[in-house]
Amino acid sequence: MFSSSQLDATSAFAGGGFSFTQQTQPTDSTPSPAKSRETQGLVPVTVKQISEASQSGDEKSNFVINGVDVTNVTVVGMVFEKVGRNTDVAFILDDGTGRMKCRRWMNENFDTIEMEEILEGMYVRVNGHLKSFQGAKQLVAFSVRPVTNFDEVTFHFIDCIHNHLQTKSQGEGLTPTQPQLVDTSLSTPMRNGLNGSQTAPSSQLSGQFSIDGLKSCDQLVLDYLQQPSSIGQEKGIHRDELSRQLKFPVEKIMESIRSLEEEGLIYSTIDEFHYKSTASG
Amino acid sequence: MHVGKKVRAVVHVTQSDGEITTGKSTDEHQLIVKGLPHVSLMSYVEVIGIAESDQSIRAETWTNFGNTFDAQSYNQVCQLANGEFKGLFL
């Protein structure tokens, strides 16, 4: 009754006509700018995000999270109420943000062997695709792996946050540059300051000013002072203007100014509040 | 703050005698956990249970996170999940 291909099994479950790509590539959390948003790998999400996801059309259409079509997801949580049958194993996944039903079809020996290892209350990483069945959201898993190093739990939540921020910045039409390590102490003021309101200056600076939300304050201050308009001003730029334009508190601006000055990248002009870039632009 | 509610915390075990386990939370507060079996000292344990007071939890579920858990990163995630990114988690 069930063929060896997982695709057929799940379409039987959904009542036919469900077509989706079986992607088993690992989570790609650093996409290059050229990659289209449709060709995603596994998207890291929390159960809460899934529960809030909408569907773009009817039951057979894709789920939408953060404005992007999402099919394959990866979730980390605890297994509860595991029920094993000949054809499939069903369980509830609780990741601390919510609980959702999961199902794993027993198509090959590998599926059975993998699921036998999974015990009640165990932390697992589940990779699968999102499905809607009779109004309820379900995760059809094609991979369930026990978590052995619990930093993976921390990592998964950071991954969800990271992915969320990336999708948001992509959605606002800003080109992300290659993401660097997220410095959580800096990310709060930067995100508030740069989301959408920054008008990109002339094209010669598009490289420097492309907003990825992860640039350090130092770099932003330097970029601003290296604009032709800033260089054109003989007395330099007042630090209050930097604070206003870059939306950073003055203390943060002063910190950046101090380190840039130490590096010899900027210098003070008429008083200790005005600064200019040492580069002649 | 969350007294009477279901909470979850990772505790670095400093003392374990019978019913009561004492430990340090990832944000450096002393926590008492009731209902845990004997756990080895210096290991990290994730406890999910009801907060009986500001400093104690009655455990319902627990998971041993081992000795090499990165408590600092986890603490930062907790802060982000309760603050800026609340919408993704709570």
Side-chain angles (χ1 to χ4, degrees):
Chain A
M1 182 162 71
F2 288 94
S3 70
S4 60
S5 129
Q6 192 151 350
L7 261 163
D8 288 353
T10 32
S11 52
F13 164 68
F18 219 95
S19 68
F20 42 76
T21 50
Q22 182 78 12
Q23 291 181 26
T24 50
Q25 70 223 55
T27 312
D28 186 357
S29 56
T30 54
S32 61
K35 188 172 183 168
S36 99
R37 277 190 275 142
E38 275 66 51
T39 57
Q40 294 177 29
L42 292 172
V43 182
V45 288
T46 61
V47 171
K48 171 126 199 289
Q49 283 180 289
I50 296 174
S51 68
E52 293 181 339
S54 50
Q55 272 184 290
S56 44
D58 58 14
E59 256 201 11
K60 298 193 183 136
S61 58
N62 282 334
F63 284 81
V64 179
I65 297 181
N66 279 335
V68 172
D69 273 357
V70 166
T71 328
N72 290 319
V73 294
T74 175
V75 195
V76 171
M78 291 171 92
V79 169
F80 289 112
E81 297 173 29
K82 179 183 168 207
V83 176
R85 287 185 283 264
N86 273 342
T87 54
D88 67 284
V89 173
F91 58 92
I92 303 277
L93 189 72
D94 184 338
D95 72 345
T97 73
R99 298 189 133 206
M100 80 177 292
K101 284 204 179 92
C102 296
R103 189 185 292 268
R104 175 87 183 268
W105 291 99
M106 300 290 109
N107 297 312
E108 325 220 350
N109 232 7
F110 168 74
D111 297 316
T112 321
I113 294 172
E114 204 179 65
M115 288 314 287
E116 262 167 23
E117 304 286 311
I118 309 298
L119 305 170
E120 188 86 2
M122 209 180 222
Y123 261 101
V124 294
R125 180 178 280 278
V126 182
N127 303 321
H129 30 256
L130 288 174
K131 270 287 220 38
S132 196
F133 188 62
Q134 293 172 347
K137 292 190 178 99
Q138 262 203 45
L139 185 58
V140 178
F142 48 75
S143 152
V144 181
R145 182 179 44 77
V147 169
T148 48
N149 181 329
F150 291 92
D151 288 327
E152 183 166 6
V153 178
T154 313
F155 165 72
H156 174 71
F157 289 132
I158 298 173
D159 209 10
C160 293
I161 293 175
H162 180 243
N163 179 272
H164 169 81
L165 284 173
Q166 265 197 325
T167 327
K168 245 184 95 170
S169 77
Q170 278 179 341
E172 285 167 12
L174 306 167
T175 320
T177 55
Q178 198 67 19
Q180 303 137 22
L181 285 168
V182 178
D183 182 347
T184 47
S185 61
L186 288 177
S187 64
T188 318
M190 247 188 294
R191 225 172 41 82
N192 292 336
L194 296 177
N195 265 347
S197 56
Q198 199 83 10
T199 51
S202 58
S203 55
Q204 67 208 87
L205 291 171
S206 58
Q208 284 178 327
F209 238 83
S210 61
I211 293 148
D212 62 0
L214 297 169
K215 276 197 172 165
S216 69
C217 181
D218 291 5
Q219 187 61 46
L220 290 165
V221 169
L222 187 62
D223 287 348
Y224 191 90
L225 292 176
Q226 283 180 343
Q227 287 184 60
S229 50
S230 306
I231 292 183
Q233 299 215 36
E234 232 184 88
K235 59 174 168 54
I237 304 292
H238 195 285
R239 61 119 202 253
D240 286 349
E241 183 181 330
L242 285 166
S243 169
R244 241 188 353 263
Q245 290 295 337
L246 299 175
K247 307 228 176 33
F248 277 106
V250 177
E251 301 75 46
K252 195 106 190 84
I253 298 286
M254 281 317 291
E255 260 176 46
S256 299
I257 285 179
R258 250 166 275 163
S259 38
L260 289 171
E261 217 182 0
E262 262 164 48
E263 309 260 303
L265 293 165
I266 65 173
Y267 63 98
S268 57
T269 54
I270 53 174
D271 58 29
E272 74 258 33
F273 301 117
H274 288 83
Y275 288 86
K276 265 184 84 117
S277 158
T278 49
S280 51
Chain B
M1 208 170 55
H2 300 282
V3 177
K5 299 208 191 123
K6 193 159 205 168
V7 293
R8 130 199 230 168
V10 172
V11 173
H12 196 183
V13 178
T14 54
Q15 228 181 309
S16 170
D17 23 56
E19 258 278 307
I20 312 261
T21 309
T22 315
K24 206 163 62 139
S25 66
T26 51
D27 59 349
E28 309 286 318
H29 287 117
Q30 172 131 320
L31 276 185
I32 292 178
V33 184
K34 300 184 188 166
L36 286 189
H38 181 78
V39 258
S40 45
L41 300 184
M42 303 316 281
S43 64
Y44 290 91
V45 179
E46 185 196 47
V47 179
I48 302 177
I50 306 288
E52 289 192 333
S53 78
D54 252 351
Q55 291 195 312
S56 70
I57 302 177
R58 173 156 291 284
E60 290 178 353
T61 322
W62 61 277
T63 311
N64 192 333
F65 271 20
N67 292 346
T68 57
F69 184 66
D70 184 345
Q72 216 214 352
S73 300
Y74 183 84
N75 195 41
Q76 286 198 304
V77 171
C78 289
Q79 290 176 338
L80 293 170
N82 280 289
E84 207 180 329
F85 297 99
K86 207 166 181 173
L88 302 181
F89 294 92
L90 296 170

